[in-house]
């Protein structure tokens, strides 16, 4: 552990620390003024000592809208000259969000990311190939500073230029790979094409987008590693809010600095341990942009149980999806990650897929674009050929694809009750991710189809 005292302290000890820090946060927010202070005052809070951890759930929320309303940096709780860095997210749907850091915030962030890397088995001897994007996005620089704090050697690759990445993987022989899960697959594909041996790799720390257990299995098949999940968001700090350890049994939330709750997104009330809910974070130790009860929109469950690794930190499940990413197709509610789970669970498709929400007509249609795994395609073709021979007619590749598409359609209906139009496309048709987060869902409003072959 990077910080055994903090990561393995008793729950009572941690609760006392959280309470003390929460009081400090409330005092700082009240002093700074602004929307969070106003809401606290309206809730009858005058100072930190008025709040308790047990009643945290009664305090007001903060939302992304608050950050947008005060864009670019209106919610600062310190004078602007104490800000040493700005990061943010571009926001695929909404407007960009900016966040600010003091020197102390950057130190905190580095130690949180060092905890994450160490959770994944990295040490001062490690070489970390960091293919998260460098820039406003928090992934690249966050992990970079964590690797430096750990004393490891960081290779600051950023995203893209895949050929060069493969070359560096071959030459520098890193033991840790950090990037989005979709890009890990792209790197594996490119390394295999180039005949490059990646056996130096031991673990991967993958996050910034939802990924299912089935995608984990696909990555672990493609690379000789344990694939671990890392979660975070710019508003809270960036990566390093929570990470899986080698037990692969939930993500340890660094709750001494990020107090987490799971709530029912409709009613705003807490959900029970183990139940999925929207994650809400309070950042008691952040300076520049501390947040009280920030609603993330991310759905996961929390577990307050022991872990074999010795950490006593609460664990969150993998994120199922964002509240606002849920698809509603003919009355069926489904997260993209659930479609991923079913598709990859069949073992018949490669882990590159895209969901196209066809909104050209009022009756919304979901087209699932995927590619056959080579072996499966061969089997399907053989099966179709046999059937065709029996029927004394020629088998066509279309027939083979039809068979697989039908099978996948049936699997989606059986597992999720989802009616989808599955298209098995020629290998390489589904776009691979080179830079940034995977775009799993696209909307087709009018005109040409977003991908060839799905009309
Ligand atoms: O994605 C921070 C990060 C960088 C996390 C690198 C992990 C690794 P944002 O760009 O602000 O920050 O996006 C935050 O991404 O609210 C989730 O919806 C999603 N997200 C982040 N990590 C995961 C994950 C970074 N492990 C938003 N699983 C969050 C699922 C994730 N979704």
């Amino acid at each position: 552990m990077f910080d055994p005292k903090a990561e393995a302290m008793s729950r009572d000890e941690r609760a006392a620390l959280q309470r003390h820090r929460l009081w400090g946060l409330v005092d700082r927010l009240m002093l700074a003024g602004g929307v969070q202070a106003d809401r606290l005052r309206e809730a009858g809070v005058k100072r930190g000592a008025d709040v308790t951890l047990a009643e945290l759930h009664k305090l007001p929320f903060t939302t992304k809208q608050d950050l947008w309303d005060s864009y670019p940096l209106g919610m600062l709780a310190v004078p602007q000259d104490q800000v040493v860095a700005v990061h943010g997210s571009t926001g695929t749907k909404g407007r960009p969000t900016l966040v600010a850091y003091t020197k102390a915030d950057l130190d905190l962030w580095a130690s949180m990311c060092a905890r994450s890397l160490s959770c994944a088995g990295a040490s001062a001897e490690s070489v970390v190939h960091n293919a998260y994007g460098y820039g406003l996005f928090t992934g690249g620089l966050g992990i970079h500073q964590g690797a430096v704090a750990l004393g490891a050697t960081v290779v600051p690759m950023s995203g893209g230029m895949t050929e060069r990445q493969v070359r560096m993987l071959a030459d520098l022989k890193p033991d840790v790979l950090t990037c989005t899960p979709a890009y890990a697959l792209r790197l594996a594909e490119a390394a295999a094409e180039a005949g490059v041996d990646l056996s130096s790799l031991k673990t991967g720390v993958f996050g910034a987008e939802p990924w299912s257990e089935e995608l984990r299995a696909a990555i672990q098949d493609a690379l000789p590693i344990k694939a671990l999940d890392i979660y975070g968001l710019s508003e809270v700090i960036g990566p390093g809010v929570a990470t899986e350890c080698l037990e692969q049994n939930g993500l340890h939330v660094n709750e001494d600095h990020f107090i987490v709750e799971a709530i029912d997104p409709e009613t705003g009330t807490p959900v029970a341990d183990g139940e999925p809910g929207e994650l809400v974070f309070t950042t008691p130790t952040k300076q520049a942009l501390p947040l009280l009860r920030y609603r993330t929109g991310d759905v996961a469950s929390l577990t307050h149980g022991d872990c074999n690794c010795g950490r006593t930190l609460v664990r969150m499940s993998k994120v199922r999806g964002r509240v606002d990413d849920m698809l509603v197709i003919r009355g069926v509610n489904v997260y993209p990650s659930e479609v991923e789970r079913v598709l990859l669970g069949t073992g018949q498709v490669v882990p590159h897929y895209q969901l196209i929400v066809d909104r050209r007509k009022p009756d919304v249609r979901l087209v699932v674009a995927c590619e056959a795994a080579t072996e499966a395609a061969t089997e399907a073709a053989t099966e179709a050929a046999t059937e065709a021979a029996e029927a004394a007619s020629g088998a066509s590749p279309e027939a083979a694809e039809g068979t697989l598409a039908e099978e996948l359609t049936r699997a989606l209906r059986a597992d999720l009750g989802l009616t989808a139009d599955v298209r098995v496309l020629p290998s390489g048709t589904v776009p691979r991710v080179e830079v940034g987060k995977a775009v799993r869902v696209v909307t087709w409003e009018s005109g040409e189809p977003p991908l060839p072959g799905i009309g």
Side-chain angles (χ1 to χ4, degrees), residues 390-439:
E390 279 168 9
S393 64
S396 66
E398 287 76 19
E401 284 182 2
T403 316
L404 178 53
E406 282 160 22
E407 187 183 330
L408 297 170
T409 306
R410 272 196 301 276
L412 288 169
R413 186 167 306 124
D415 200 307
L416 303 169
L418 180 71
T419 308
D421 190 350
V422 178
R423 298 298 165 93
V424 181
L425 301 176
S427 181
T429 313
V430 175
R432 304 313 196 237
V433 181
E434 292 288 336
V435 180
K437 304 192 184 208
V439 179

Side-chain angles (χ1 to χ4, degrees), residues 33 90 101 163 189 191 230 249 258 299 346 425:
T90 43
Y101 302 75
E163 251 174 58
E189 206 175 49
I230 180 167
N249 189 19
F258 314 117
V299 177
T346 64
L425 301 176

Side-chain angles (χ1 to χ4, degrees), residues 257-274:
H257 295 285
F258 314 117
I259 303 174
V260 64
E261 304 166 70
I263 60 158
D264 179 327
E266 301 288 325
T267 61
T269 51
V271 299
D273 232 37

Side-chain angles (χ1 to χ4, degrees), residues 88-89 132 137-139 143 206-211 229-235 238-240 251 296 298 319 322 437:
S89 60
Y132 283 114
F137 174 56
T138 51
I143 295 293
F206 306 131
E209 61 195 24
W211 53 303
D229 199 346
I230 180 167
Y231 169 85
L233 60 164
S234 334
E235 300 91 313
L251 290 79
T296 62
D298 295 322
V319 173
R322 293 187 54 78
K437 304 192 184 208

Side-chain angles (χ1 to χ4, degrees), residues 132 177-181 184 204-208 211 219 223 225 227-230:
Y132 283 114
L177 172 64
T178 55
C179 59
T180 61
V205 183
F206 306 131
W211 53 303
I219 296 176
L223 293 168
I225 58 166
L228 305 173
D229 199 346
I230 180 167

